[in-house]
Amino acid sequence: MNVDDDAKWLEWVAQQFESIAGKDKEIDLEEFKTALNVKESFFAERFFALFDSDGSGTISLDELLEALKLLIHGSEADKLRFLFHVYDVDGSGSIERGELRTVLKSCLKESSISLPEKTLDDLTGALFESADSDCSGAITFEELRAELEHFPEVMENLTISAASWLKPPMTPPKDHPPRYLSPAYWHNNGSKLLFLGSYLAVNILLFTLAALKHLGSGAWIMLAKGCGQCLNLNCTFLVVVMLRRCLTWLRATWAAKVLPLDQSVLLHRLIGCSVAALSVLHTGAHVANFVRLSQTNDTFYLWEYLFTTRTGIGWVYGTASVTGLALQLLIGLMSVCSSTFVRKSGHFEVFYWTHLSYVFIWTLLIIHGPNFWKWFVVPGFLFLVEKIFGVFLSRTRRLYIVEINLLPSKVTHLVIQRPPFFHYKPGDYVYLNIPAIAKYEWHPFTISSAPEQPGTIWLHIRSLGQWTNQLYEYFWHQGDLRDCEPDTKQQKKTSSEKWKCLFGSSDVEQPVVRSEDEMVEILSYRTIGSPNGRTANEEVSGKACENQRLCHIKCYIDGPYGTPTRRIFTSEHAVLIGAGIGITPFASILQSIMFRHHMQKQTSRSQDLTLNENLKNDNMKLQKVDFIWINRDQTSFEWFVSLLMQLEGSQADEDPSDRFLEMHLYMTSALNRNDMKAIGLQVALDLLAEKEKKDSITGLKTRTQPGRPNWNKLFQKLAKDNKGKVHVFFCGSPALAKVIKGHCEQFGFRFFKENF
C-alpha cells in the first residue's frame, strides 16, 4: 500500500472496529470469536492473547492496529514470529510435540477434516521429526523458519483470517472491453450466436409480413397478427428442441458442428420466454381491439367478444376468443411454474406436472389459429413417433434395480439391469421411473458407468428435491432388504488379479496383450464386482455393508440421450471439471477413456487387426486428460474414490510427467495453505504424503489441495502442456460455470457445459 491507501485502510479499520466493539470501544474474546468466524476456539484464544498486548482481557483499537500492521505490513520474519507464538502454547520459547499435536488437531477441525487419531499422530510425527533438526525434542523458531522455507508457496502470502473482516475496500478493477466483444467469446459461442441471430431475423421477417398483410385493419390488429405469426414459429420450434432422440442422432452428424445442439435446453428456455411475451402482446392487442369494437359497434358487448362464440371470430365455430384466453392462462401458469424459484425450491413436481399441459396447449393452438397446424404437422408427427417409440421401449424394458448403495451427503447409487441392445456413449443420460416412488414421474440422470461395462448400468443420484429425497428415504427405511455379505476373500483375490492383468503391474516384466473381449470381461468384473465404487479391500468395511443392499425393485428407463461430452473423444486435450456430484458424467467418461487408452497401448504391441479396426472406429484423438474435482467436504470424495484409485494404479508404471491422465482434487471447506490456521496442517499433510506415497484425506496418490483452484494459474499450466487444442467440459453450478467460461475465453479454450 502507498501512503494514501494506508490512510484509507486505517480509516476503514476504525469504522469496522467501532461496529464490532460497540460503546465500550473494546473487543472482548466472544466478540473476537464472532468477528474472526473460526470453528475452533483454540485459534481465537491464541490470536486474542497475542493481540491483547497489555493482558487486560480486551483489545483496544490501538492494540488491534498494531497487530494488523504486523500481519499485513510486517516482514516475513515478523509474521513467522507471530505464527511461532501461536504454536508455542505455554510460552516456553519452543514447540513441544504435545503442543504441535494440539495445534494440528485444531487445524483439522478448522478445515472440517476428520482423520483417525493414529493419522493425527503420524502427521504430528512427520512435521515434528522434519522440523526438529537437532533432535532436541522441541522446535525452536529458527527450526520452524528453516522448515517452512521448504514450502515457498506458504511463505509468499503468509496471512491470517483475522485481517479479512478488517481488510480495506477492494479497488475497482480497471475497465476492460465487454467480454461479448472478445474474439474468444465469439469463437466459443459462434454457432449459438449465429443461430440466435438468424432465428431473430426470421421472427422479425414473419412479424413484418403478417403486419403488412393487415395494414388496413388498424394498429392493434397488425400487432396481434404479427405476434400470432411469430407464435406459430416459436410454439412449433419448442417441439423441435424437445425431440431428444433426433437431437441425439444429429450429434453424430455434420450438423453438430453447425447447429448449437449443446444449447437445446437454453434454446428451450429462451423460446419459452419468447412465447410467454408474444402471447401477452397478442392477447393484449386483441383485447384492445375488442374494446375499440365494443365502443364503436353496438352489435356486441366487450364480454361477448371475450367469453362467447357469438361473434363468430375463429375458424372453428368462432372459438378464437375463448381458446385464446384459455391458452393465455395455461401459458402463464406454465411460465410461473417453470421459474428457477419453483424448480430449485424442492417443488420440482409442480414444474413437472404443469409442463405436461403442453398437450392441451397444442390442442387449443390448433383450434385457435387457422394456420398453426401447417407449422405443427411435421415436428408434431416426429414428437408423437418419439413418444410412442419411447413408451414402447421403456415398457418392454421392464428392468429391476438389483443393488443400491447409500453414499455420504445423501447420494443414492443405483445398480440397474442393463437391457439388451442398450447402447450408449460416455456421459449420456436416461430418464428413470420407479413406480414404488412415483408411478408417473420420470426424472433425468446421467449414467455413471462405462459403456464397456456389460450387465448393469449405474446411476448416482444426489438428494436435492422431493423425488430424490423420497428415493433416498425409501431405501434408507427398507429394513427387509438383505444386507451385503460379499465373499470378501475370493473377491479380493480375483479382483486384484484381474485388475493387474488389465492395466499391468510393476511386478509383471512383460506386458500382456489381451483381446477386446478379455479386456471387457475384466473391466466388467472390476466394475460389477465393486458396485459401490470401492475396491475389494474396502468393501469388507462394516460401514459399506450397512449402506449396501441387494434388492429387486421394478423400474423403467427411457433413453439414452446424448450430451456435449460426446465430443470428448474427438478432442486432443480434454479438461474435465466436476463440482460435487457433477463428477457423475465424468465417472463414466474416465472409465471409458482409460479403457480405450490401454487398449491402444496393448494394440500397439500386437498385430490384432480386429482391435486396430475397432480403435480406428472409436476415433479417439485424445493425447492428454486433466480431471479436476472440486468438493465441499471430505466425505464427498468417498463417492468415487476407488475409481480414482484404480485409474491411478493403471498409470503406476508411467513417468509422472508423461501420464495420460492427470488428476487435481480440491476441498473447499479446508483453509488455504497460506492461512495461519492451516499452515502447520498443510505442511504436515505434504510431509506425510511424501513419506507414505498417498494422501491422508482420500488415500489417493494425488494430493488433495485445500480451498478453491487458482484458475488462472491452472489454465496457464494447461496452455503450456502443448498437447493440442484444449476443450474444457464442465458439470456443476451455474455460478462456477461463468467463472470457468470466462477463463476459457481468456485462454482461447473451447468450453462445453453439462446440464446440472
Side-chain angles (χ1 to χ4, degrees):
M1 291 184 185
N2 55 36
V3 177
D4 292 335
D5 289 338
D6 197 52
K8 291 179 181 178
W9 176 70
L10 290 174
E11 182 181 353
W12 173 259
V13 168
Q15 292 175 358
Q16 293 295 95
F17 181 86
E18 289 177 2
S19 66
I20 297 169
K23 296 180 180 179
D24 58 359
K25 305 297 182 182
E26 300 278 340
I27 296 179
D28 60 24
L29 179 58
E30 291 304 317
E31 291 171 329
F32 187 76
K33 285 181 180 179
T34 303
L36 197 58
N37 190 28
V38 295
K39 302 172 185 176
E40 178 61 26
S41 61
F42 170 82
F43 286 106
E45 293 169 0
R46 294 297 302 144
F47 293 154
F48 186 86
L50 295 173
F51 279 31
D52 182 18
S53 57
D54 60 3
S56 63
T58 58
I59 300 174
S60 65
L61 178 59
D62 291 337
E63 289 175 321
L64 180 64
L65 290 176
E66 198 66 32
L68 290 179
K69 283 180 182 178
L70 180 144
L71 292 172
I72 295 177
H73 299 287
S75 65
E76 183 180 287
D78 292 333
K79 296 176 183 179
L80 275 175
R81 180 71 65 180
F82 184 89
L83 176 65
F84 181 81
H85 288 316
V86 171
Y87 283 31
D88 182 16
V89 180
D90 60 5
S92 63
S94 62
I95 303 172
E96 310 291 335
R97 182 184 286 266
E99 291 175 323
L100 184 59
R101 190 182 192 279
T102 301
V103 171
L104 292 182
K105 187 173 184 179
S106 298
C107 287
L108 288 171
K109 291 182 180 179
E110 197 68 36
S111 293
S112 302
I113 299 175
S114 176
L115 295 177
E117 290 293 321
K118 182 182 182 302
T119 305
L120 175 59
D121 292 335
D122 293 340
L123 288 171
T124 304
L127 179 54
F128 194 86
E129 291 166 10
S130 179
D132 184 18
S133 56
D134 60 1
C135 300
S136 62
I139 301 173
T140 63
F141 171 73
E142 292 302 327
E143 287 176 327
L144 180 64
R145 182 175 186 172
E147 180 63 29
L148 292 182
E149 284 177 351
H150 294 104
F151 301 89
E153 71 279 5
V154 173
M155 302 298 292
E156 285 176 5
N157 250 334
L158 195 59
T159 183
I160 180 176
S161 301
S164 64
W165 49 275
L166 290 170
K167 63 185 177 183
M170 297 293 291
T171 55
K174 296 180 180 179
D175 293 334
H176 293 284
R179 57 188 285 262
Y180 304 105
L181 300 180
S182 65
Y185 178 82
W186 285 83
H187 174 71
N188 255 331
N189 301 277
S191 62
K192 180 181 72 174
L193 295 173
L194 180 63
F195 179 85
L196 289 176
S198 303
Y199 192 78
L200 179 61
V202 171
N203 273 275
I204 293 173
L205 178 63
L206 289 174
F207 181 93
T208 304
L209 293 176
L212 292 176
K213 189 176 180 180
H214 297 82
L215 189 60
S217 302
W220 292 120
I221 290 296
M222 292 176 65
L223 177 61
K225 293 298 182 179
C227 291
Q229 189 73 321
C230 291
L231 282 168
N232 285 335
L233 170 66
N234 285 272
C235 290
T236 301
F237 206 76
L238 274 176
V239 185
V240 174
V241 294
M242 293 168 62
L243 300 174
R244 299 189 190 94
R245 295 184 189 278
C246 291
L247 294 179
T248 299
W249 174 77
L250 284 174
R251 288 180 188 277
T253 68
W254 60 267
K257 298 180 180 179
V258 180
L259 300 175
L261 301 180
D262 298 339
Q263 308 290 335
S264 60
V265 175
L266 174 63
L267 291 175
H268 182 79
R269 292 172 180 170
L270 288 176
I271 297 170
C273 292
S274 300
V275 167
L278 288 169
S279 64
V280 170
L281 289 174
H282 178 76
T283 303
H286 273 306
V287 170
N289 184 57
F290 290 154
V291 171
R292 181 183 64 83
L293 290 176
S294 64
Q295 292 175 348
T296 59
N297 190 340
D298 296 335
T299 307
F300 298 107
Y301 293 104
L302 177 61
W303 66 269
E304 291 178 293
Y305 279 110
L306 294 176
F307 303 113
T308 70
T309 60
R310 297 174 187 175
T311 59
I313 300 175
W315 76 301
V316 179
Y317 303 110
T319 56
S321 296
V322 178
T323 54
L325 290 175
L327 280 167
Q328 188 62 62
L329 288 173
L330 286 174
I331 292 173
L333 178 64
M334 183 182 288
S335 300
V336 171
C337 295
S338 300
S339 64
T340 304
F341 172 77
V342 173
R343 289 185 291 110
K344 300 296 184 181
S345 61
H347 299 90
F348 180 84
E349 287 71 18
V350 176
F351 160 78
Y352 178 83
W353 287 109
T354 54
H355 241 60
L356 292 180
S357 62
Y358 68 80
V359 177
F360 303 106
I361 290 176
W362 288 342
T363 304
L364 289 172
L365 280 171
I366 292 172
I367 299 172
H368 176 79
N371 295 314
F372 177 73
W373 69 271
K374 301 174 185 178
W375 293 78
F376 182 74
V377 61
V378 174
F381 174 75
L382 291 175
F383 182 81
L384 182 63
V385 170
E386 275 206 4
K387 279 294 180 183
I388 293 174
F389 184 68
V391 170
F392 172 77
L393 279 184
S394 63
R395 292 303 165 182
T396 53
R397 292 172 175 171
R398 185 172 179 175
L399 308 175
Y400 290 91
I401 301 170
V402 296
E403 189 167 340
I404 63 100
N405 188 33
L406 303 181
L407 301 174
S409 302
K410 297 190 74 174
V411 171
T412 307
H413 175 199
L414 303 180
V415 181
I416 304 173
Q417 285 177 322
R418 181 169 178 172
F421 310 109
F422 184 81
H423 305 292
Y424 64 97
K425 301 290 185 182
D428 284 1
Y429 69 97
V430 295
Y431 278 81
L432 175 67
N433 170 253
I434 304 178
I437 307 298
K439 191 172 183 180
Y440 299 107
E441 291 186 27
W442 294 76
H443 295 267
F445 300 105
T446 304
I447 303 172
S448 54
S449 53
E452 292 82 5
Q453 170 185 321
T456 61
I457 59 174
W458 297 352
L459 301 178
H460 284 76
I461 301 171
R462 181 80 180 268
S463 299
L464 294 174
Q466 185 176 343
W467 189 91
T468 51
N469 274 300
Q470 286 179 350
L471 176 71
Y472 186 89
E473 295 298 326
Y474 176 82
F475 288 114
W476 181 261
H477 296 296
Q478 286 294 305
D480 58 325
L481 298 177
R482 287 187 293 133
D483 291 336
C484 63
E485 296 179 359
D487 187 356
T488 55
K489 291 184 179 180
Q490 179 65 25
Q491 184 171 337
K492 183 193 307 182
K493 178 180 178 181
T494 313
S495 179
S496 61
E497 287 179 353
K498 292 206 172 189
W499 178 253
K500 189 181 298 181
C501 292
L502 176 59
F503 289 140
S505 174
S506 58
D507 60 353
V508 179
E509 294 182 0
Q510 297 295 331
V512 180
V513 178
R514 299 284 178 182
S515 69
E516 186 173 12
D517 290 339
E518 288 177 307
M519 300 279 281
V520 170
E521 191 274 331
I522 295 169
L523 177 67
S524 68
Y525 187 95
R526 170 175 62 85
T527 51
I528 298 172
S530 181
N532 65 344
R534 301 175 185 271
T535 59
N537 292 332
E538 293 170 311
E539 283 185 336
V540 300
S541 65
K543 184 177 180 180
C545 289
E546 290 175 4
N547 295 331
Q548 181 182 342
R549 297 183 178 90
L550 302 176
C551 56
H552 193 71
I553 296 175
K554 184 171 65 176
C555 69
Y556 301 96
I557 61 172
D558 178 27
Y561 298 111
T563 64
T565 52
R566 287 196 171 194
R567 298 172 182 256
I568 284 178
F569 293 98
T570 58
S571 306
E572 294 174 339
H573 185 175
V575 181
L576 316 179
I577 306 177
I581 198 63
I583 187 185
T584 304
F586 302 137
S588 170
I589 291 163
L590 287 171
Q591 293 177 74
S592 189
I593 284 175
M594 294 308 296
F595 174 82
R596 299 185 190 196
H597 174 62
H598 286 282
M599 284 287 292
Q600 285 182 337
K601 289 176 62 179
Q602 296 282 15
T603 306
S604 65
R605 302 185 182 103
S606 73
Q607 301 299 321
D608 193 325
L609 298 179
T610 303
L611 283 177
N612 278 302
E613 187 63 28
N614 289 340
L615 289 172
K616 183 178 179 181
N617 293 335
D618 282 343
N619 194 28
M620 187 169 108
K621 300 178 181 178
L622 278 171
Q623 300 178 32
K624 175 75 182 297
V625 177
D626 279 271
F627 171 62
I628 304 167
W629 190 14
I630 309 163
N631 273 317
R632 182 176 300 170
D633 50 47
Q634 179 185 359
T635 57
S636 299
F637 288 104
E638 297 180 22
W639 300 336
F640 293 99
V641 70
S642 78
L643 168 62
L644 301 183
M645 282 183 177
Q646 292 163 352
L647 294 175
E648 280 187 334
S650 69
Q651 302 185 111
D653 57 345
E654 297 182 12
D655 187 273
S657 61
D658 195 38
R659 286 178 179 171
F660 177 73
L661 172 66
E662 187 172 350
M663 293 191 287
H664 314 261
L665 307 178
Y666 294 89
M667 180 176 165
T668 58
S669 66
L671 298 176
N672 286 322
R673 59 173 62 244
N674 57 3
D675 191 302
M676 281 194 178
K677 301 191 298 296
I679 289 174
L681 173 62
Q682 295 303 327
V683 170
L685 286 169
D686 285 343
L687 291 170
L688 189 60
E690 184 179 354
K691 178 181 177 182
E692 297 186 347
K693 306 302 180 186
K694 68 176 183 178
D695 182 55
S696 298
I697 297 175
T698 62
L700 299 167
K701 293 179 181 178
T702 303
R703 175 79 165 84
T704 304
Q705 300 299 323
R708 291 173 171 79
N710 183 332
W711 294 112
N712 195 54
K713 186 176 180 181
L714 186 58
F715 277 41
Q716 284 179 355
K717 177 186 176 300
L718 296 175
K720 291 178 181 178
D721 283 344
N722 291 323
K723 293 292 185 179
K725 293 182 180 179
V726 179
H727 289 179
V728 177
F729 300 86
F730 172 77
C731 186
S733 67
L736 184 55
K738 290 181 180 179
V739 174
I740 297 173
K741 187 175 183 181
H743 282 84
C744 288
E745 291 168 1
Q746 178 184 345
F747 285 87
F749 299 164
R750 290 296 303 274
F751 177 81
F752 303 94
K753 181 182 180 297
E754 285 284 301
N755 295 319
F756 184 61

